[in-house]
Amino acid sequence: MDRINTAFLFDLDGTLIDSVYQHVLAWQEALDHEGIELSVWRIHRKIGMSGGLFANMLLRETGLAISPELLERLRRRHGEAFRGLAGRVRPLPGAQELLSHLTAAGIPWAIATSGRIETARDGLEALGVDRDTVPVVTRDQVKYAKPDPDLFLAAAERLKVPIESAIVVGDSVWDILAARRARALSIGLLSGGYGQDELERAGAFRVYEDPAGLLEHLDEVGGRR
Protein backbone atom coordinates (compact mmCIF):
# COMPACT_ATOMS: atom_id res chain seq x y z
CA MET A 1 0.00 0.00 0.00
CA ASP A 2 1.31 3.48 -0.87
CA ARG A 3 2.43 5.56 2.09
CA ILE A 4 0.41 8.72 2.71
CA ASN A 5 2.64 11.76 3.11
CA THR A 6 1.74 14.54 5.49
CA ALA A 7 1.15 18.12 4.34
CA PHE A 8 0.93 21.14 6.65
CA LEU A 9 -1.61 23.95 6.38
CA PHE A 10 -0.64 26.96 8.48
CA ASP A 11 -2.68 29.79 9.84
CA LEU A 12 -0.71 33.06 9.74
CA ASP A 13 -1.49 35.49 12.58
CA GLY A 14 -0.42 34.10 15.94
CA THR A 15 0.83 30.91 14.30
CA LEU A 16 3.73 32.04 12.12
CA ILE A 17 3.88 35.77 12.90
CA ASP A 18 3.50 37.60 16.22
CA SER A 19 0.59 39.80 15.17
CA VAL A 20 -2.49 38.84 17.19
CA TYR A 21 -2.29 41.76 19.60
CA GLN A 22 -1.67 44.25 16.80
CA HIS A 23 -4.93 42.98 15.26
CA VAL A 24 -6.68 43.39 18.61
CA LEU A 25 -5.52 47.00 18.94
CA ALA A 26 -6.45 47.73 15.33
CA TRP A 27 -9.98 46.39 15.90
CA GLN A 28 -10.23 48.44 19.09
CA GLU A 29 -9.31 51.59 17.17
CA ALA A 30 -11.88 50.78 14.48
CA LEU A 31 -14.59 50.16 17.07
CA ASP A 32 -13.68 53.29 19.05
CA HIS A 33 -13.96 55.36 15.87
CA GLU A 34 -17.57 54.18 15.52
CA GLY A 35 -18.30 54.82 19.20
CA ILE A 36 -18.58 51.10 19.99
CA GLU A 37 -17.18 50.16 23.40
CA LEU A 38 -15.85 46.61 23.68
CA SER A 39 -13.24 45.29 26.11
CA VAL A 40 -9.91 44.30 24.59
CA TRP A 41 -10.14 40.74 25.92
CA ARG A 42 -13.47 40.25 24.15
CA ILE A 43 -11.90 41.37 20.87
CA HIS A 44 -9.00 38.96 21.34
CA ARG A 45 -11.36 36.00 21.72
CA LYS A 46 -12.77 36.66 18.25
CA ILE A 47 -9.53 37.17 16.27
CA GLY A 48 -9.46 34.77 13.34
CA MET A 49 -13.21 34.32 12.89
CA SER A 50 -15.11 35.48 9.83
CA GLY A 51 -16.41 39.03 9.48
CA GLY A 52 -20.00 37.81 9.57
CA LEU A 53 -19.51 36.02 12.87
CA PHE A 54 -17.64 39.05 14.20
CA ALA A 55 -20.70 41.17 13.38
CA ASN A 56 -22.99 38.69 15.13
CA MET A 57 -20.73 38.79 18.18
CA LEU A 58 -20.92 42.60 18.24
CA LEU A 59 -24.70 42.38 18.07
CA ARG A 60 -24.83 39.94 21.00
CA GLU A 61 -22.33 41.76 23.20
CA THR A 62 -23.25 45.40 22.49
CA GLY A 63 -26.90 45.21 21.45
CA LEU A 64 -26.12 47.31 18.35
CA ALA A 65 -27.62 46.59 14.96
CA ILE A 66 -24.65 45.90 12.71
CA SER A 67 -25.40 46.91 9.13
CA PRO A 68 -23.31 45.78 6.16
CA GLU A 69 -22.20 49.42 5.77
CA LEU A 70 -20.96 49.59 9.36
CA LEU A 71 -19.19 46.25 9.03
CA GLU A 72 -17.42 47.47 5.90
CA ARG A 73 -16.34 50.69 7.64
CA LEU A 74 -15.00 48.67 10.57
CA ARG A 75 -13.11 46.32 8.25
CA ARG A 76 -11.58 49.21 6.33
CA ARG A 77 -10.63 51.11 9.49
CA HIS A 78 -9.14 47.95 11.00
CA GLY A 79 -7.02 47.42 7.91
CA GLU A 80 -5.73 50.97 8.02
CA ALA A 81 -4.94 50.76 11.74
CA PHE A 82 -3.24 47.39 11.38
CA ARG A 83 -1.01 48.60 8.56
CA GLY A 84 0.10 51.40 10.88
CA LEU A 85 1.24 48.74 13.37
CA ALA A 86 2.67 46.31 10.83
CA GLY A 87 6.23 47.50 11.42
CA ARG A 88 6.09 45.85 14.84
CA VAL A 89 5.12 42.45 13.46
CA ARG A 90 7.85 39.80 13.58
CA PRO A 91 8.02 36.10 12.72
CA LEU A 92 7.42 33.94 15.76
CA PRO A 93 10.39 31.96 17.15
CA GLY A 94 11.24 29.09 14.83
CA ALA A 95 8.73 30.04 12.12
CA GLN A 96 11.21 30.67 9.33
CA GLU A 97 13.32 27.67 10.36
CA LEU A 98 10.23 25.43 10.37
CA LEU A 99 9.14 26.49 6.90
CA SER A 100 12.69 26.15 5.57
CA HIS A 101 12.96 22.66 7.06
CA LEU A 102 9.70 21.55 5.47
CA THR A 103 10.78 22.92 2.10
CA ALA A 104 14.20 21.24 2.30
CA ALA A 105 12.59 17.95 3.29
CA GLY A 106 10.13 18.12 0.39
CA ILE A 107 7.13 18.22 2.75
CA PRO A 108 4.22 20.19 1.21
CA TRP A 109 2.95 23.23 3.09
CA ALA A 110 0.64 26.14 2.49
CA ILE A 111 -0.74 29.15 4.38
CA ALA A 112 -4.46 29.75 4.91
CA THR A 113 -5.40 32.96 6.72
CA SER A 114 -8.66 34.67 7.63
CA GLY A 115 -6.90 37.96 6.91
CA ARG A 116 -7.31 39.71 3.61
CA ILE A 117 -4.24 40.18 1.45
CA GLU A 118 -3.87 43.85 2.42
CA THR A 119 -3.27 42.87 6.07
CA ALA A 120 -1.43 39.61 5.34
CA ARG A 121 1.09 41.00 2.85
CA ASP A 122 3.58 42.46 5.36
CA GLY A 123 3.60 39.32 7.48
CA LEU A 124 4.23 37.12 4.46
CA GLU A 125 7.12 39.35 3.47
CA ALA A 126 8.55 39.22 7.00
CA LEU A 127 8.52 35.43 6.76
CA GLY A 128 10.17 35.51 3.35
CA VAL A 129 7.23 33.66 1.75
CA ASP A 130 7.26 33.77 -2.06
CA ARG A 131 3.64 33.71 -3.15
CA ASP A 132 4.70 32.61 -6.63
CA THR A 133 5.92 29.28 -5.22
CA VAL A 134 4.01 28.86 -1.94
CA PRO A 135 0.21 28.46 -1.96
CA VAL A 136 -1.31 31.27 0.12
CA VAL A 137 -5.08 31.39 0.57
CA THR A 138 -6.55 34.59 2.04
CA ARG A 139 -10.05 35.66 3.03
CA ASP A 140 -10.47 37.33 -0.37
CA GLN A 141 -10.36 33.96 -2.13
CA VAL A 142 -13.07 31.96 -0.34
CA LYS A 143 -16.76 32.39 0.39
CA TYR A 144 -16.56 31.77 4.14
CA ALA A 145 -13.75 32.16 6.67
CA LYS A 146 -13.09 30.23 9.89
CA PRO A 147 -14.64 28.36 11.61
CA ASP A 148 -15.92 27.26 8.19
CA PRO A 149 -13.47 24.91 6.48
CA ASP A 150 -13.19 26.75 3.14
CA LEU A 151 -9.70 28.22 3.67
CA PHE A 152 -8.10 24.90 4.56
CA LEU A 153 -9.94 22.98 1.86
CA ALA A 154 -8.74 25.51 -0.71
CA ALA A 155 -5.16 25.30 0.58
CA ALA A 156 -5.16 21.49 0.34
CA GLU A 157 -6.55 21.72 -3.17
CA ARG A 158 -3.78 24.16 -4.12
CA LEU A 159 -1.22 21.64 -2.81
CA LYS A 160 -3.04 18.81 -4.64
CA VAL A 161 -3.22 16.71 -1.47
CA PRO A 162 -6.22 15.05 0.18
CA ILE A 163 -7.42 17.12 3.13
CA GLU A 164 -7.46 13.95 5.25
CA SER A 165 -3.66 13.71 4.92
CA ALA A 166 -3.12 17.33 5.95
CA ILE A 167 -2.39 18.73 9.41
CA VAL A 168 -3.71 22.20 10.21
CA VAL A 169 -1.49 24.30 12.47
CA GLY A 170 -3.23 27.18 14.22
CA ASP A 171 -3.30 29.25 17.39
CA SER A 172 -7.04 29.75 17.96
CA VAL A 173 -10.09 27.60 18.54
CA TRP A 174 -11.44 28.92 15.22
CA ASP A 175 -8.53 27.26 13.39
CA ILE A 176 -9.07 23.98 15.20
CA LEU A 177 -12.83 23.97 14.61
CA ALA A 178 -12.31 24.74 10.93
CA ALA A 179 -9.83 21.85 10.70
CA ARG A 180 -12.35 19.44 12.25
CA ARG A 181 -15.01 20.55 9.78
CA ALA A 182 -12.54 20.02 6.95
CA ARG A 183 -11.76 16.49 8.25
CA ALA A 184 -8.11 17.32 8.94
CA LEU A 185 -6.01 16.72 12.04
CA SER A 186 -4.85 19.85 13.85
CA ILE A 187 -2.01 21.10 16.02
CA GLY A 188 -2.46 24.05 18.35
CA LEU A 189 0.16 26.66 19.20
CA LEU A 190 0.06 28.78 22.37
CA SER A 191 1.62 31.77 20.60
CA GLY A 192 -1.75 33.43 19.89
CA GLY A 193 -2.95 33.60 23.47
CA TYR A 194 -5.32 30.63 23.73
CA GLY A 195 -4.68 28.05 26.43
CA GLN A 196 -3.70 24.43 25.94
CA ASP A 197 -6.96 23.13 27.41
CA GLU A 198 -9.03 25.32 25.05
CA LEU A 199 -7.14 24.13 21.99
CA GLU A 200 -7.35 20.49 23.04
CA ARG A 201 -11.08 20.75 23.77
CA ALA A 202 -11.57 22.22 20.30
CA GLY A 203 -9.83 19.15 18.83
CA ALA A 204 -6.06 19.73 18.61
CA PHE A 205 -4.23 16.42 19.00
CA ARG A 206 -0.94 18.12 19.97
CA VAL A 207 -0.20 21.56 21.42
CA TYR A 208 3.20 23.30 21.39
CA GLU A 209 4.34 26.73 22.54
CA ASP A 210 5.27 28.14 19.14
CA PRO A 211 6.69 27.12 15.72
CA ALA A 212 10.05 26.34 17.35
CA GLY A 213 8.33 23.80 19.60
CA LEU A 214 6.61 22.19 16.62
CA LEU A 215 9.90 21.99 14.71
CA GLU A 216 11.56 20.26 17.67
CA HIS A 217 8.83 17.61 17.72
CA LEU A 218 8.08 17.46 14.00
CA ASP A 219 8.89 13.75 13.70
CA GLU A 220 6.21 12.98 16.31
CA VAL A 221 3.43 14.37 14.09
CA GLY A 222 4.44 12.73 10.83
CA GLY A 223 6.65 15.52 9.51
CA ARG A 224 9.07 13.46 7.50
CA ARG A 225 9.60 12.22 3.98
Side-chain angles (χ1 to χ4, degrees), residues 124-154:
L124 295 169
E125 290 179 359
L127 284 168
V129 171
D130 181 357
R131 286 189 287 146
D132 290 332
T133 58
V134 175
V136 175
V137 182
T138 62
R139 178 66 184 88
D140 321 72
Q141 300 170 351
V142 296
K143 184 174 183 180
Y144 298 112
K146 306 163 192 173
D148 285 281
D150 302 34
L151 284 162
F152 295 129
L153 291 171

PDB file of all heavy atoms in Angstrom, residues 124-154:
ATOM      1  N   LEU A 124       3.654  38.081   5.417  1.00  0.00           N
ATOM      2  CA  LEU A 124       4.229  37.123   4.464  1.00  0.00           C
ATOM      3  C   LEU A 124       5.621  37.554   4.038  1.00  0.00           C
ATOM      4  O   LEU A 124       6.543  36.723   3.925  1.00  0.00           O
ATOM      5  CB  LEU A 124       3.314  36.986   3.249  1.00  0.00           C
ATOM      6  CG  LEU A 124       1.937  36.372   3.516  1.00  0.00           C
ATOM      7  CD1 LEU A 124       1.032  36.535   2.302  1.00  0.00           C
ATOM      8  CD2 LEU A 124       2.075  34.901   3.890  1.00  0.00           C
ATOM      9  N   GLU A 125       5.797  38.843   3.835  1.00  0.00           N
ATOM     10  CA  GLU A 125       7.121  39.350   3.466  1.00  0.00           C
ATOM     11  C   GLU A 125       8.112  39.179   4.601  1.00  0.00           C
ATOM     12  O   GLU A 125       9.277  38.829   4.377  1.00  0.00           O
ATOM     13  CB  GLU A 125       7.008  40.817   3.056  1.00  0.00           C
ATOM     14  CG  GLU A 125       6.285  41.036   1.735  1.00  0.00           C
ATOM     15  CD  GLU A 125       6.156  42.499   1.361  1.00  0.00           C
ATOM     16  OE1 GLU A 125       6.626  43.355   2.152  1.00  0.00           O
ATOM     17  OE2 GLU A 125       5.592  42.796   0.290  1.00  0.00           O
ATOM     18  N   ALA A 126       7.666  39.404   5.843  1.00  0.00           N
ATOM     19  CA  ALA A 126       8.547  39.224   6.998  1.00  0.00           C
ATOM     20  C   ALA A 126       9.017  37.778   7.113  1.00  0.00           C
ATOM     21  O   ALA A 126      10.151  37.510   7.534  1.00  0.00           O
ATOM     22  CB  ALA A 126       7.833  39.655   8.281  1.00  0.00           C
ATOM     23  N   LEU A 127       8.154  36.841   6.729  1.00  0.00           N
ATOM     24  CA  LEU A 127       8.519  35.430   6.764  1.00  0.00           C
ATOM     25  C   LEU A 127       9.389  35.030   5.588  1.00  0.00           C
ATOM     26  O   LEU A 127      10.009  33.970   5.607  1.00  0.00           O
ATOM     27  CB  LEU A 127       7.257  34.564   6.744  1.00  0.00           C
ATOM     28  CG  LEU A 127       6.451  34.447   8.022  1.00  0.00           C
ATOM     29  CD1 LEU A 127       5.103  33.792   7.730  1.00  0.00           C
ATOM     30  CD2 LEU A 127       7.209  33.662   9.076  1.00  0.00           C
ATOM     31  N   GLY A 128       9.435  35.860   4.556  1.00  0.00           N
ATOM     32  CA  GLY A 128      10.165  35.506   3.350  1.00  0.00           C
ATOM     33  C   GLY A 128       9.400  34.548   2.455  1.00  0.00           C
ATOM     34  O   GLY A 128      10.000  33.811   1.671  1.00  0.00           O
ATOM     35  N   VAL A 129       8.057  34.563   2.548  1.00  0.00           N
ATOM     36  CA  VAL A 129       7.232  33.659   1.747  1.00  0.00           C
ATOM     37  C   VAL A 129       7.074  34.220   0.342  1.00  0.00           C
ATOM     38  O   VAL A 129       6.650  35.366   0.158  1.00  0.00           O
ATOM     39  CB  VAL A 129       5.847  33.460   2.399  1.00  0.00           C
ATOM     40  CG1 VAL A 129       4.908  32.702   1.465  1.00  0.00           C
ATOM     41  CG2 VAL A 129       5.990  32.724   3.723  1.00  0.00           C
ATOM     42  N   ASP A 130       7.413  33.404  -0.646  1.00  0.00           N
ATOM     43  CA  ASP A 130       7.259  33.771  -2.055  1.00  0.00           C
ATOM     44  C   ASP A 130       5.915  33.241  -2.537  1.00  0.00           C
ATOM     45  O   ASP A 130       5.729  32.033  -2.693  1.00  0.00           O
ATOM     46  CB  ASP A 130       8.401  33.163  -2.872  1.00  0.00           C
ATOM     47  CG  ASP A 130       8.318  33.531  -4.353  1.00  0.00           C
ATOM     48  OD1 ASP A 130       7.353  34.217  -4.762  1.00  0.00           O
ATOM     49  OD2 ASP A 130       9.218  33.113  -5.113  1.00  0.00           O
ATOM     50  N   ARG A 131       4.976  34.142  -2.758  1.00  0.00           N
ATOM     51  CA  ARG A 131       3.636  33.715  -3.146  1.00  0.00           C
ATOM     52  C   ARG A 131       3.579  33.126  -4.554  1.00  0.00           C
ATOM     53  O   ARG A 131       2.558  32.534  -4.936  1.00  0.00           O
ATOM     54  CB  ARG A 131       2.663  34.891  -3.034  1.00  0.00           C
ATOM     55  CG  ARG A 131       2.318  35.224  -1.596  1.00  0.00           C
ATOM     56  CD  ARG A 131       1.195  36.232  -1.510  1.00  0.00           C
ATOM     57  NE  ARG A 131       1.634  37.571  -1.902  1.00  0.00           N
ATOM     58  CZ  ARG A 131       0.889  38.457  -2.529  1.00  0.00           C
ATOM     59  NH1 ARG A 131      -0.335  38.156  -2.894  1.00  0.00           N
ATOM     60  NH2 ARG A 131       1.359  39.649  -2.817  1.00  0.00           N
ATOM     61  N   ASP A 132       4.654  33.243  -5.305  1.00  0.00           N
ATOM     62  CA  ASP A 132       4.702  32.608  -6.626  1.00  0.00           C
ATOM     63  C   ASP A 132       4.994  31.119  -6.520  1.00  0.00           C
ATOM     64  O   ASP A 132       4.702  30.358  -7.448  1.00  0.00           O
ATOM     65  CB  ASP A 132       5.778  33.271  -7.496  1.00  0.00           C
ATOM     66  CG  ASP A 132       5.398  34.684  -7.907  1.00  0.00           C
ATOM     67  OD1 ASP A 132       4.188  34.962  -8.011  1.00  0.00           O
ATOM     68  OD2 ASP A 132       6.320  35.503  -8.114  1.00  0.00           O
ATOM     69  N   THR A 133       5.566  30.695  -5.391  1.00  0.00           N
ATOM     70  CA  THR A 133       5.919  29.280  -5.224  1.00  0.00           C
ATOM     71  C   THR A 133       5.191  28.611  -4.067  1.00  0.00           C
ATOM     72  O   THR A 133       5.075  27.384  -4.040  1.00  0.00           O
ATOM     73  CB  THR A 133       7.438  29.117  -5.013  1.00  0.00           C
ATOM     74  OG1 THR A 133       7.833  29.881  -3.856  1.00  0.00           O
ATOM     75  CG2 THR A 133       8.213  29.629  -6.224  1.00  0.00           C
ATOM     76  N   VAL A 134       4.703  29.403  -3.117  1.00  0.00           N
ATOM     77  CA  VAL A 134       4.013  28.858  -1.942  1.00  0.00           C
ATOM     78  C   VAL A 134       2.524  29.177  -2.044  1.00  0.00           C
ATOM     79  O   VAL A 134       2.154  30.345  -2.204  1.00  0.00           O
ATOM     80  CB  VAL A 134       4.581  29.451  -0.635  1.00  0.00           C
ATOM     81  CG1 VAL A 134       3.769  28.959   0.560  1.00  0.00           C
ATOM     82  CG2 VAL A 134       6.045  29.098  -0.478  1.00  0.00           C
ATOM     83  N   PRO A 135       1.656  28.166  -1.955  1.00  0.00           N
ATOM     84  CA  PRO A 135       0.215  28.455  -1.957  1.00  0.00           C
ATOM     85  C   PRO A 135      -0.176  29.275  -0.730  1.00  0.00           C
ATOM     86  O   PRO A 135       0.103  28.882   0.403  1.00  0.00           O
ATOM     87  CB  PRO A 135      -0.425  27.060  -1.914  1.00  0.00           C
ATOM     88  CG  PRO A 135       0.632  26.125  -2.399  1.00  0.00           C
ATOM     89  CD  PRO A 135       1.927  26.713  -1.946  1.00  0.00           C
ATOM     90  N   VAL A 136      -0.806  30.417  -0.959  1.00  0.00           N
ATOM     91  CA  VAL A 136      -1.311  31.271   0.118  1.00  0.00           C
ATOM     92  C   VAL A 136      -2.777  31.560  -0.180  1.00  0.00           C
ATOM     93  O   VAL A 136      -3.099  32.125  -1.230  1.00  0.00           O
ATOM     94  CB  VAL A 136      -0.519  32.585   0.225  1.00  0.00           C
ATOM     95  CG1 VAL A 136      -1.151  33.491   1.285  1.00  0.00           C
ATOM     96  CG2 VAL A 136       0.948  32.315   0.558  1.00  0.00           C
ATOM     97  N   VAL A 137      -3.649  31.157   0.730  1.00  0.00           N
ATOM     98  CA  VAL A 137      -5.081  31.385   0.567  1.00  0.00           C
ATOM     99  C   VAL A 137      -5.508  32.419   1.596  1.00  0.00           C
ATOM    100  O   VAL A 137      -5.300  32.229   2.798  1.00  0.00           O
ATOM    101  CB  VAL A 137      -5.896  30.091   0.753  1.00  0.00           C
ATOM    102  CG1 VAL A 137      -7.378  30.358   0.515  1.00  0.00           C
ATOM    103  CG2 VAL A 137      -5.390  29.008  -0.189  1.00  0.00           C
ATOM    104  N   THR A 138      -6.097  33.518   1.146  1.00  0.00           N
ATOM    105  CA  THR A 138      -6.548  34.585   2.036  1.00  0.00           C
ATOM    106  C   THR A 138      -8.077  34.682   1.997  1.00  0.00           C
ATOM    107  O   THR A 138      -8.738  34.037   1.189  1.00  0.00           O
ATOM    108  CB  THR A 138      -5.933  35.938   1.634  1.00  0.00           C
ATOM    109  OG1 THR A 138      -6.370  36.268   0.308  1.00  0.00           O
ATOM    110  CG2 THR A 138      -4.412  35.880   1.660  1.00  0.00           C
ATOM    111  N   ARG A 139      -8.589  35.507   2.897  1.00  0.00           N
ATOM    112  CA  ARG A 139     -10.045  35.659   3.027  1.00  0.00           C
ATOM    113  C   ARG A 139     -10.680  36.104   1.717  1.00  0.00           C
ATOM    114  O   ARG A 139     -11.849  35.750   1.439  1.00  0.00           O
ATOM    115  CB  ARG A 139     -10.345  36.704   4.131  1.00  0.00           C
ATOM    116  CG  ARG A 139     -11.828  37.000   4.327  1.00  0.00           C
ATOM    117  CD  ARG A 139     -12.562  35.784   4.864  1.00  0.00           C
ATOM    118  NE  ARG A 139     -13.998  35.986   4.975  1.00  0.00           N
ATOM    119  CZ  ARG A 139     -14.871  35.761   4.006  1.00  0.00           C
ATOM    120  NH1 ARG A 139     -14.437  35.348   2.813  1.00  0.00           N
ATOM    121  NH2 ARG A 139     -16.157  35.922   4.191  1.00  0.00           N
ATOM    122  N   ASP A 140      -9.936  36.830   0.893  1.00  0.00           N
ATOM    123  CA  ASP A 140     -10.471  37.332  -0.367  1.00  0.00           C
ATOM    124  C   ASP A 140     -10.842  36.217  -1.340  1.00  0.00           C
ATOM    125  O   ASP A 140     -11.624  36.424  -2.268  1.00  0.00           O
ATOM    126  CB  ASP A 140      -9.437  38.230  -1.074  1.00  0.00           C
ATOM    127  CG  ASP A 140      -8.676  39.106  -0.113  1.00  0.00           C
ATOM    128  OD1 ASP A 140      -7.832  38.564   0.636  1.00  0.00           O
ATOM    129  OD2 ASP A 140      -8.910  40.320  -0.096  1.00  0.00           O
ATOM    130  N   GLN A 141     -10.268  35.021  -1.123  1.00  0.00           N
ATOM    131  CA  GLN A 141     -10.355  33.962  -2.127  1.00  0.00           C
ATOM    132  C   GLN A 141     -11.386  32.887  -1.821  1.00  0.00           C
ATOM    133  O   GLN A 141     -11.537  31.952  -2.607  1.00  0.00           O
ATOM    134  CB  GLN A 141      -8.968  33.313  -2.291  1.00  0.00           C
ATOM    135  CG  GLN A 141      -7.902  34.305  -2.738  1.00  0.00           C
ATOM    136  CD  GLN A 141      -6.501  33.736  -2.658  1.00  0.00           C
ATOM    137  OE1 GLN A 141      -6.278  32.658  -2.110  1.00  0.00           O
ATOM    138  NE2 GLN A 141      -5.541  34.460  -3.197  1.00  0.00           N
ATOM    139  N   VAL A 142     -12.082  32.982  -0.697  1.00  0.00           N
ATOM    140  CA  VAL A 142     -13.065  31.960  -0.336  1.00  0.00           C
ATOM    141  C   VAL A 142     -14.378  32.620   0.066  1.00  0.00           C
ATOM    142  O   VAL A 142     -14.419  33.806   0.394  1.00  0.00           O
ATOM    143  CB  VAL A 142     -12.567  31.060   0.818  1.00  0.00           C
ATOM    144  CG1 VAL A 142     -11.336  30.273   0.391  1.00  0.00           C
ATOM    145  CG2 VAL A 142     -12.281  31.888   2.070  1.00  0.00           C
ATOM    146  N   LYS A 143     -15.441  31.840   0.060  1.00  0.00           N
ATOM    147  CA  LYS A 143     -16.758  32.385   0.393  1.00  0.00           C
ATOM    148  C   LYS A 143     -16.896  32.629   1.889  1.00  0.00           C
ATOM    149  O   LYS A 143     -17.418  33.657   2.325  1.00  0.00           O
ATOM    150  CB  LYS A 143     -17.849  31.424  -0.085  1.00  0.00           C
ATOM    151  CG  LYS A 143     -19.257  31.968   0.132  1.00  0.00           C
ATOM    152  CD  LYS A 143     -20.307  31.057  -0.487  1.00  0.00           C
ATOM    153  CE  LYS A 143     -21.704  31.648  -0.317  1.00  0.00           C
ATOM    154  NZ  LYS A 143     -22.740  30.767  -0.926  1.00  0.00           N
ATOM    155  N   TYR A 144     -16.421  31.664   2.685  1.00  0.00           N
ATOM    156  CA  TYR A 144     -16.561  31.768   4.136  1.00  0.00           C
ATOM    157  C   TYR A 144     -15.203  31.576   4.806  1.00  0.00           C
ATOM    158  O   TYR A 144     -14.390  30.765   4.356  1.00  0.00           O
ATOM    159  CB  TYR A 144     -17.530  30.716   4.685  1.00  0.00           C
ATOM    160  CG  TYR A 144     -18.939  30.856   4.168  1.00  0.00           C
ATOM    161  CD1 TYR A 144     -19.483  29.899   3.321  1.00  0.00           C
ATOM    162  CD2 TYR A 144     -19.727  31.944   4.532  1.00  0.00           C
ATOM    163  CE1 TYR A 144     -20.783  30.018   2.845  1.00  0.00           C
ATOM    164  CE2 TYR A 144     -21.020  32.081   4.060  1.00  0.00           C
ATOM    165  CZ  TYR A 144     -21.544  31.112   3.219  1.00  0.00           C
ATOM    166  OH  TYR A 144     -22.818  31.239   2.743  1.00  0.00           O
ATOM    167  N   ALA A 145     -14.987  32.306   5.902  1.00  0.00           N
ATOM    168  CA  ALA A 145     -13.748  32.164   6.672  1.00  0.00           C
ATOM    169  C   ALA A 145     -14.003  31.256   7.875  1.00  0.00           C
ATOM    170  O   ALA A 145     -15.080  30.699   8.056  1.00  0.00           O
ATOM    171  CB  ALA A 145     -13.239  33.531   7.111  1.00  0.00           C
ATOM    172  N   LYS A 146     -12.994  31.105   8.723  1.00  0.00           N
ATOM    173  CA  LYS A 146     -13.093  30.231   9.894  1.00  0.00           C
ATOM    174  C   LYS A 146     -14.170  30.743  10.857  1.00  0.00           C
ATOM    175  O   LYS A 146     -14.355  31.949  10.972  1.00  0.00           O
ATOM    176  CB  LYS A 146     -11.735  30.202  10.605  1.00  0.00           C
ATOM    177  CG  LYS A 146     -10.574  29.813   9.700  1.00  0.00           C
ATOM    178  CD  LYS A 146      -9.254  30.219  10.338  1.00  0.00           C
ATOM    179  CE  LYS A 146      -8.134  30.100   9.320  1.00  0.00           C
ATOM    180  NZ  LYS A 146      -6.857  30.633   9.841  1.00  0.00           N
ATOM    181  N   PRO A 147     -14.910  29.795  11.481  1.00  0.00           N
ATOM    182  CA  PRO A 147     -14.635  28.363  11.605  1.00  0.00           C
ATOM    183  C   PRO A 147     -15.168  27.492  10.473  1.00  0.00           C
ATOM    184  O   PRO A 147     -15.194  26.276  10.620  1.00  0.00           O
ATOM    185  CB  PRO A 147     -15.326  28.007  12.920  1.00  0.00           C
ATOM    186  CG  PRO A 147     -16.510  28.916  12.957  1.00  0.00           C
ATOM    187  CD  PRO A 147     -16.032  30.212  12.358  1.00  0.00           C
ATOM    188  N   ASP A 148     -15.615  28.074   9.366  1.00  0.00           N
ATOM    189  CA  ASP A 148     -15.922  27.259   8.192  1.00  0.00           C
ATOM    190  C   ASP A 148     -14.620  26.704   7.615  1.00  0.00           C
ATOM    191  O   ASP A 148     -13.556  27.306   7.772  1.00  0.00           O
ATOM    192  CB  ASP A 148     -16.660  28.095   7.152  1.00  0.00           C
ATOM    193  CG  ASP A 148     -18.105  28.351   7.545  1.00  0.00           C
ATOM    194  OD1 ASP A 148     -18.920  27.435   7.349  1.00  0.00           O
ATOM    195  OD2 ASP A 148     -18.401  29.439   8.075  1.00  0.00           O
ATOM    196  N   PRO A 149     -14.694  25.593   6.921  1.00  0.00           N
ATOM    197  CA  PRO A 149     -13.471  24.909   6.476  1.00  0.00           C
ATOM    198  C   PRO A 149     -12.893  25.401   5.161  1.00  0.00           C
ATOM    199  O   PRO A 149     -11.837  24.910   4.730  1.00  0.00           O
ATOM    200  CB  PRO A 149     -13.929  23.458   6.329  1.00  0.00           C
ATOM    201  CG  PRO A 149     -15.375  23.573   5.932  1.00  0.00           C
ATOM    202  CD  PRO A 149     -15.905  24.772   6.682  1.00  0.00           C
ATOM    203  N   ASP A 150     -13.533  26.388   4.511  1.00  0.00           N
ATOM    204  CA  ASP A 150     -13.191  26.749   3.139  1.00  0.00           C
ATOM    205  C   ASP A 150     -11.709  27.062   2.930  1.00  0.00           C
ATOM    206  O   ASP A 150     -11.109  26.641   1.937  1.00  0.00           O
ATOM    207  CB  ASP A 150     -14.018  27.955   2.686  1.00  0.00           C
ATOM    208  CG  ASP A 150     -15.506  27.713   2.758  1.00  0.00           C
ATOM    209  OD1 ASP A 150     -15.949  26.990   3.670  1.00  0.00           O
ATOM    210  OD2 ASP A 150     -16.246  28.259   1.926  1.00  0.00           O
ATOM    211  N   LEU A 151     -11.108  27.820   3.843  1.00  0.00           N
ATOM    212  CA  LEU A 151      -9.701  28.217   3.670  1.00  0.00           C
ATOM    213  C   LEU A 151      -8.783  27.008   3.610  1.00  0.00           C
ATOM    214  O   LEU A 151      -7.898  26.927   2.744  1.00  0.00           O
ATOM    215  CB  LEU A 151      -9.279  29.145   4.818  1.00  0.00           C
ATOM    216  CG  LEU A 151      -9.777  30.581   4.744  1.00  0.00           C
ATOM    217  CD1 LEU A 151      -9.683  31.248   6.120  1.00  0.00           C
ATOM    218  CD2 LEU A 151      -8.977  31.383   3.724  1.00  0.00           C
ATOM    219  N   PHE A 152      -8.980  26.058   4.513  1.00  0.00           N
ATOM    220  CA  PHE A 152      -8.099  24.898   4.557  1.00  0.00           C
ATOM    221  C   PHE A 152      -8.371  23.935   3.412  1.00  0.00           C
ATOM    222  O   PHE A 152      -7.449  23.315   2.869  1.00  0.00           O
ATOM    223  CB  PHE A 152      -8.221  24.194   5.910  1.00  0.00           C
ATOM    224  CG  PHE A 152      -7.730  25.033   7.057  1.00  0.00           C
ATOM    225  CD1 PHE A 152      -8.514  25.223   8.180  1.00  0.00           C
ATOM    226  CD2 PHE A 152      -6.490  25.662   7.007  1.00  0.00           C
ATOM    227  CE1 PHE A 152      -8.058  26.009   9.231  1.00  0.00           C
ATOM    228  CE2 PHE A 152      -6.032  26.449   8.053  1.00  0.00           C
ATOM    229  CZ  PHE A 152      -6.816  26.622   9.161  1.00  0.00           C
ATOM    230  N   LEU A 153      -9.626  23.813   3.025  1.00  0.00           N
ATOM    231  CA  LEU A 153      -9.943  22.981   1.862  1.00  0.00           C
ATOM    232  C   LEU A 153      -9.299  23.550   0.604  1.00  0.00           C
ATOM    233  O   LEU A 153      -8.747  22.808  -0.222  1.00  0.00           O
ATOM    234  CB  LEU A 153     -11.461  22.881   1.686  1.00  0.00           C
ATOM    235  CG  LEU A 153     -12.215  22.090   2.759  1.00  0.00           C
ATOM    236  CD1 LEU A 153     -13.717  22.259   2.584  1.00  0.00           C
ATOM    237  CD2 LEU A 153     -11.825  20.627   2.712  1.00  0.00           C
ATOM    238  N   ALA A 154      -9.347  24.878   0.459  1.00  0.00           N
ATOM    239  CA  ALA A 154      -8.737  25.512  -0.707  1.00  0.00           C
ATOM    240  C   ALA A 154      -7.223  25.351  -0.695  1.00  0.00           C
ATOM    241  O   ALA A 154      -6.601  25.124  -1.745  1.00  0.00           O
ATOM    242  CB  ALA A 154      -9.104  26.991  -0.746  1.00  0.00           C
TER     243      ALA A 154
END
